Amino acid sequence: MVTGTCFADMGNNVTFIELEEKKVEKINNAMPPIHEERLDELLRKNMERIKATVDYDALENADIIFICVGTPSMEDGSIDLSYIKNTAEKIGEKLKGKWKTVVVKSTVTPGTTEGIVVPILEKISGKKAGRDFGAAMNPEFLREGKAVKDFMNPDRIVLGVMEKKSEKMLRKIYEPFHAPIFITKPSTAEMIKYASNALLATKISFSNEIGNLCKIMGIDTYEVMKAVGMDHRISPHFLNAGAGFGGSCFPKDLRAIVSMAKKKGYEMELLNSVMNVNEKQPLRMINLLEKHIGKLKEKRVAVLGLAFKKGTDDIRDSRAIVVIQELLKREAYVSAYDPLAMENMKKMFGGIEYCSTINDAIKNADACLIMTDWDEFSSINFSIMKKPVVIDGRRVVKDKRGIIYEGICW
Ligand SMILES: NC(=O)c1ccc[n+]([C@@H]2O[C@H](COP(=O)([O-])OP(=O)(O)OC[C@H]3O[C@@H](n4cnc5c(N)ncnc54)[C@H](O)[C@@H]3O)[C@@H](O)[C@H]2O)c1
């Protein structure tokens, strides 16, 4: 959605091919099927250059085809490439007429573009990559919540290419973004994406580990990390301790690279630890909760924040999921609120109360857990709770007067 809309904003004609009719209809009515800052505005502005369809015949006039389908985890943590393979088959059937360059933008494990996508395209089309059509890998580094801004202002564009013609076409389409372009081979481009996400996730788990120790020792971890981040070799980003990382990328990408490494005979000890710290982190919220209100059975616990971060309605691998599961296991009543993500969470948990306001969620609650860093959680009137116990997983609460406040790492 973001890739296509932003390319349209740069003056390109964009056709979205999407399997879900409902999403196609929404896009054609200038309504984005996901929430992202400025996405609705950009979509509306560029509708004359945008259309959406379920029909792969629309590929006929394409010069560049970006594959942006999901690459979730399989049960064992390894990458599920079924959407990628399926898409490559469908594109293969339409590789006719003029030259087309097929670009894998989805996050895929190293070797996928050359070892899986290209062979499928060649087999189905009967054509040869490099001679009859182009193939490339172009990882995406945007952050959800700031996706449009990040796509429009990239730190770098990584292009994993196999021949000059595709490189030229991709350089041209990315020219208006005025970003450094890094040319490499597809498998390296694929690894760059995993290495970037793995390092960012490592920074978060590292900060959580330091934060956990700081809490025990009565040291303010945010003060510590502020000074740590002033070192230009480290940078101040991704150093905020809290309830851990979730989302559609870090958890599944870490699982994928660790699982791939294992299949290659290499155990990624550091990244396994990064995942372990992240799994345990949200459960600290439950321990802190029990410290204050005892057994959770039949207690009313408000969970504020269901999205994995602010600015999105995405709940994939959200830390709130782990916490709600644990609360339900301990037979607590859960009242939940999120400004954007409740509809998505309803598909996952039916047995909790979804409240349309913060006040409805916290009213008469025995305690409140803050799981997402929404700005509106900074100044809540907690006095309507039965007992104003607030466990903050994101360091958002500013006014702590009259409440029993405890931070996860502070
Ligand atoms: N979400 C992010 O912030 C982000 C950032 C960087 C990279 N990525 C990568 O981008 C990829 C997509 O991520 P996402 O979050 O947009 O996934 P998503 O699951 O939200 O969206 C993928 C879309 O592709 C559609 N689809 C599946 N198979 C299709 C097919 N054969 N033809 C047409 N449409 C098809 C699905 O219906 C869905 O709407 C993943 O590999 C992800 O790792 C995502």
Side-chain angles (χ1 to χ4, degrees):
M1 224 22 246
V2 173
T3 301
T5 310
C6 292
F7 276 138
D9 198 51
M10 292 296 174
N12 301 287
N13 291 316
V14 173
T15 303
F16 291 100
I17 301 186
E18 164 60 55
L19 295 184
E20 288 186 35
E21 302 252 10
K22 256 199 331 221
K23 290 185 184 173
V24 168
E25 206 182 302
K26 277 192 158 178
I27 300 168
N28 284 329
N29 286 311
M31 289 190 301
I34 51 162
H35 177 88
E36 271 300 333
E37 201 174 271
R38 292 197 59 221
L39 188 58
D40 49 352
E41 167 204 331
L42 280 198
L43 187 61
R44 272 198 308 275
K45 179 179 154 205
N46 293 292
M47 274 317 281
E48 63 187 31
R49 280 188 289 277
I50 288 177
K51 69 170 192 203
T53 175
V54 291
D55 189 355
Y56 270 75
D57 279 348
L59 290 182
E60 195 186 329
N61 295 318
D63 298 302
I64 307 183
I65 302 165
F66 285 94
I67 300 181
C68 303
V69 298
T71 47
S73 296
M74 307 262 267
E75 279 281 291
D76 65 355
S78 64
I79 189 168
D80 178 356
L81 289 172
S82 58
Y83 299 99
I84 293 280
K85 290 179 187 166
N86 187 267
T87 309
E89 282 169 14
K90 290 182 168 174
I91 295 171
E93 286 166 14
K94 305 292 173 191
L95 278 183
K96 298 178 189 130
K98 66 174 177 179
W99 174 280
K100 298 177 183 12
T101 290
V102 181
V103 185
V104 177
K105 198 171 230 329
S106 302
T107 303
V108 291
T109 38
T112 302
T113 301
E114 280 175 287
I116 294 176
V117 175
V118 169
I120 292 176
L121 293 172
E122 288 184 330
K123 187 173 164 217
I124 304 279
S125 68
K127 294 181 185 289
K128 185 96 189 90
R131 187 190 67 196
D132 308 317
F133 69 92
M137 202 281 150
N138 165 221
E140 180 49 57
F141 300 99
L142 62 78
R143 290 164 301 173
E144 274 187 45
K146 297 280 173 212
V148 170
K149 185 170 170 233
D150 285 358
F151 192 92
M152 292 297 205
N153 303 283
D155 291 325
R156 76 308 204 187
I157 307 286
V158 174
L159 300 177
V161 294
M162 295 161 72
E163 27 68 39
K164 281 285 166 198
K165 190 164 178 173
S166 297
E167 179 186 330
K168 216 171 136 196
M169 289 169 82
L170 285 166
R171 276 186 184 276
K172 188 152 179 267
I173 197 171
Y174 276 115
E175 208 170 30
F177 295 86
H178 304 295
I181 291 186
F182 190 94
I183 302 288
T184 183
K185 57 181 185 173
S187 56
T188 306
E190 289 158 341
M191 186 58 103
I192 289 168
K193 173 65 189 172
Y194 280 97
S196 303
N197 271 3
L199 182 56
L200 292 172
T202 302
K203 283 183 89 173
I204 297 174
S205 277
F206 172 80
S207 307
N208 287 339
E209 190 146 75
I210 296 289
N212 294 343
L213 180 61
C214 279
K215 184 170 173 75
I216 296 168
M217 301 185 68
I219 298 167
D220 183 349
T221 187
Y222 273 62
E223 217 183 317
V224 170
M225 285 312 190
K226 193 171 177 188
V228 168
M230 288 163 86
D231 186 324
H232 73 278
R233 295 165 303 179
I234 296 173
S235 106
H237 306 289
F238 286 77
L239 295 180
N240 293 338
F245 56 81
S248 69
C249 289
F250 287 178
K252 79 157 171 76
D253 291 350
L254 279 181
R255 288 192 287 265
I257 188 174
V258 164
S259 160
M260 183 195 63
K262 201 169 186 165
K263 281 184 191 151
K264 303 268 175 206
Y266 182 70
E267 201 66 51
M268 298 196 92
E269 290 181 32
L270 176 63
L271 296 186
N272 270 316
S273 299
V274 168
M275 291 196 292
N276 285 341
V277 170
N278 198 55
E279 284 314 303
K280 288 188 195 149
Q281 199 66 6
L283 301 177
R284 289 173 60 86
M285 302 284 287
I286 305 289
N287 295 341
L288 292 172
L289 185 62
E290 282 187 327
K291 184 180 114 184
H292 286 283
I293 65 170
K295 288 250 171 291
L296 300 182
K297 192 172 176 181
E298 290 172 14
K299 297 272 168 56
R300 184 176 162 89
V301 180
V303 176
L304 300 185
L306 304 175
F308 84 92
K309 67 191 289 199
K310 73 173 172 183
T312 179
D313 56 352
D314 198 341
I315 59 154
R316 287 176 283 187
D317 267 313
S318 155
R319 300 296 82 190
I321 296 174
V322 189
V323 161
I324 293 172
Q325 265 163 353
E326 200 58 35
L327 290 172
L328 293 178
K329 209 159 94 188
R330 297 179 195 208
E331 297 177 56
Y333 296 117
V334 177
S335 52
Y337 168 80
D338 188 283
L340 284 179
M342 291 207 286
E343 288 311 310
N344 284 337
M345 197 59 103
K346 278 179 193 169
K347 293 174 203 153
M348 179 159 279
F349 293 110
I352 66 174
E353 187 184 334
Y354 292 92
C355 303
S356 50
T357 65
I358 295 174
N359 281 356
D360 288 348
I362 64 171
K363 202 170 174 186
N364 297 324
D366 293 281
C368 165
L369 302 179
I370 299 192
M371 299 306 304
T372 313
D373 53 341
W374 289 108
D375 296 338
E376 62 193 273
F377 296 160
S378 65
S379 51
I380 295 173
N381 174 12
F382 292 106
S383 64
I384 55 174
M385 292 174 68
K386 190 162 155 196
K387 196 174 167 200
V389 173
V390 180
I391 315 290
D392 190 350
R394 301 294 175 192
R395 188 120 155 175
V396 287
V397 176
K398 298 261 175 341
D399 186 1
K400 303 178 185 91
R401 282 172 305 178
I403 62 175
I404 302 159
Y405 175 88
E406 183 135 11
I408 183 169
C409 302
W410 51 90

